[in-house]
Amino acid sequence: FLKHTGSRVLLRAGNQWAGKTTAGVAELLYRLEGFHPYKHVDPGPITALVITATHEQSQNIQRRIHELVDPRLLTDDTIWDPAKGAYRGKYPRVRFRNGSEAVFRSGRGDTLQIAGLTVDYVWIDEPPTSMRVYSEAQKRLLRAGTGGHLRLTCTPVNAPVEWLRQAVEGGQVEEVHARLTADQLVPVGADSPIRLADGTLADQDWIDSIIAETLPHEVPVVIHGEWRMTSLTPCFTAWDPSGMVIEAMPSGDMPVFLGLDHGA
């Protein structure tokens, strides 16, 4: 993901294991600094827009920035408020001494919050409620021309993502997709998987245990970051094919009843 040079790139993976937000913060900081270890970026200064679905997620991202950034790169008026758990200001900003800055917008995809902004870089963390937010974010990059880049990091859940899947399959958005496998949990340069805070080794046994704790129809999306939830067994426990399915076509006129749950 960090090495990708495309202008529109999605990092898609399951919940809580791939470090999607940390990767997004790293990419953001490299671009604000004007130096990237893996590729050429605009030396700046640039203005970056970070879009989150909720205010709480914006605070989470700001906390990650606070933990990772070299404070010597920031201006004196960029002040971390530990009580608030975010940078100070009605609309918090992170300003770099080189003139670059990041602004944050949240609120379940309200396009009015980002209308009027002109930026060089956009990061959308977790899927917005509609493609209108994505379209509006792209407009914020128009003045940047070919230098305007957009990144998305998400697990395809909690919002409609069919538009994003179609954008990926149509080539408008390039992607990096990671399924939860044992080799994905071995850090670059290491020879063993990561360990959790309590010392648990995140190996195949750990993967099997969290899959066992997850609702079967949620496993493809929540664990592996796939586009759609599915289930190999019926969710309706009263369903009995042996007594509810017949081979022969009924004769005469028959009423037809169609039932669809919300998942359809």
Side-chain angles (χ1 to χ4, degrees), residues 48 55 69 74 82 120 126 135 156 178 183 198 211-212 231 247 252:
H55 176 69
V69 71
L74 304 181
D120 307 286
E126 295 306 336
S135 299
D183 61 306
D198 63 358
I211 289 177
S231 180
E247 296 286 341

Side-chain angles (χ1 to χ4, degrees), residues 90-142:
K90 179 180 178 181
Y91 292 111
R93 294 173 181 260
V94 174
R95 290 188 172 96
F96 275 54
R97 294 187 183 276
N98 67 358
S100 293
E101 68 173 0
V103 298
F104 303 84
R105 294 291 186 272
S106 63
R108 298 305 300 170
D110 184 357
T111 58
L112 293 177
Q113 288 203 31
I114 62 176
L117 293 172
T118 299
V119 299
D120 307 286
Y121 180 76
V122 174
W123 170 27
I124 302 175
D125 187 51
E126 295 306 336
T129 53
S130 77
M131 66 177 298
R132 282 288 304 120
V133 177
Y134 176 76
S135 299
E136 192 67 32
Q138 290 210 102
K139 292 179 183 177
R140 304 307 106 211
L141 293 166
L142 286 178

Side-chain angles (χ1 to χ4, degrees), residues 6 58-59 87 113 172 177 187 196 219 241 252 254:
S58 176
Q59 287 181 305
Y87 288 96
Q113 288 203 31
Q172 290 89 9
H177 176 218
L196 307 184
V219 168
M254 297 289 294

Side-chain angles (χ1 to χ4, degrees), residues 167-206:
V168 169
E169 294 181 354
Q172 290 89 9
V173 176
E174 301 176 78
E175 76 162 353
V176 176
H177 176 218
R179 290 177 58 83
L180 178 52
T181 58
D183 61 306
Q184 292 279 18
L185 296 172
V186 179
V188 175
D191 54 10
S192 61
I194 61 174
R195 287 186 180 274
L196 307 184
D198 63 358
T200 300
L201 192 66
D203 55 10
Q204 187 60 52
D205 288 340
W206 176 76

